[in-house]
Each structure stands twice: as C-alpha cells, then as structure tokens.
Amino acid sequence: LRGMHVCVPRNMTQAAGMYNTLLRGDDPAIVVEVLNAYRFKERLPDNIGTFTVPLGVPEVLRSGTDLTLITYGACVKVADEACEMLKSQGISVELIDIQTLLPFDLPRVCLESLKKTSRVVFLDEDFEGGASAYMLQQVLEKQGGYRWLDSQPVTLAAKAHRPAYGQDGDYHSKPQVEDVVEAVVKVIREAGL
C-alpha cells in the first residue's frame, strides 16, 4: 500500500474528518472504518462537513506518566476502558491514537511520550506481526525510541487463529479490556513500580 494514505479512525466522526481531508487532496487513500462504530451514538461536531483530521498526526487521548499505550481504530475504545481500570489501580497510562498507519507519526508524538514514560505497549486487533509490529518498528527503530526504554516493549494483537463471526468471536479472538490491563500491569510490576 505504499504511495497511499492508510487512515484508521477510531469512530465515524474521525472518519468524516479524514474523508474531508482526503477530498481536499489528490492522493489515493484507504479509510478503514470501525465496523462496530455504526452501532454507537456519537456527539457530532457542528461543522461535520468541513472539519478535517490531519494525516500523520497522532492524538494523545489521555496523558500519563507510567506507560505509553499506542493503538488505533476499534482498539481505541478497548484501550480507553482499560486505561480507566488501570487508573483506579494507580497506574497512569498515556493513550495515543495514531489515526493513520501511512503516514505514520510525522511529528514523533509517540517518541515524545516514550521519553516521558520509558515503557510502551502496542495494541492492535490485527494478527501478530501485522500492524503492531509495524508500529513497534516505526517507534523503536525509525524514531529511535529504543534509547528511552526501561522495560521490554510489548505487542498485544489478535490470537493466532481464524476469528469467529459476531461479538462472541471478537471476544475470543481480539484483545479485550482485560487483556490490556493484564499486559500493562505485567510491565509495571516487572519495572518494580
């Protein structure tokens, strides 16, 4: 997909902003919409037809100091719920929605977060070695984030089997809130925090 923008919005409002951005340019793109987002109600901005989402610019959804959690698309909702549970346990997680896989984090938002927290988990509903590995490679290798690590980086992806259909299949195949909480707590405990 090189030469194309790959947009991965967390909800339909973000998708609309990405479409508005893309329609102003001539570049080819793919927008991977969150299928479950069609069932959720969202607060729409007054300027839904004109607002834009910048490509290649991640959004920090929660500020934190103990660990950076980097994700996109459908996993943002899962990550946000996990961050709320972790907050009640005294763990401060910085949640980053990368918004686009291509281009990836042009202002190096992920790296700046990693400098602050020194720990990172990459969350993805794709298979192992897919987008989570790509994000890890971009942040640790391309951006030089390995220099700031105090703990081993973690990727949390879908199980290595063909997913079943429906929400039951999602539960048994894709990372859930409990999986994220468990992975983050493990990293924090190993760090002695």
Side-chain angles (χ1 to χ4, degrees), residues 125-184:
E125 68 177 352
D126 195 4
F127 57 89
E128 291 178 341
S132 55
Y134 171 74
M135 293 186 296
L136 181 136
Q137 184 255 351
Q138 290 294 304
V139 175
L140 299 186
E141 183 182 323
K142 298 285 185 184
Q143 295 182 1
Y146 71 91
R147 293 183 184 112
W148 305 99
L149 288 176
D150 285 343
S151 297
Q152 179 177 331
V154 174
T155 58
L156 187 56
K159 306 285 187 297
H161 61 78
R162 186 175 55 180
Y165 293 102
Q167 289 195 298
D168 288 349
D170 280 356
Y171 182 81
H172 295 289
S173 298
K174 297 178 181 179
Q176 300 299 311
V177 173
E178 299 84 14
D179 301 320
V180 177
V181 169
E182 184 180 324
V184 169

Side-chain angles (χ1 to χ4, degrees), residues 1 6 26 34 60 75 84 87 100 102 104 108 131 133 145 173 192:
L1 297 174
V6 178
D26 292 328
V34 176
V60 177
C75 286
E84 198 58 38
K87 182 179 176 183
T100 60
L102 293 173
F104 185 88
R108 298 176 176 238
S173 298

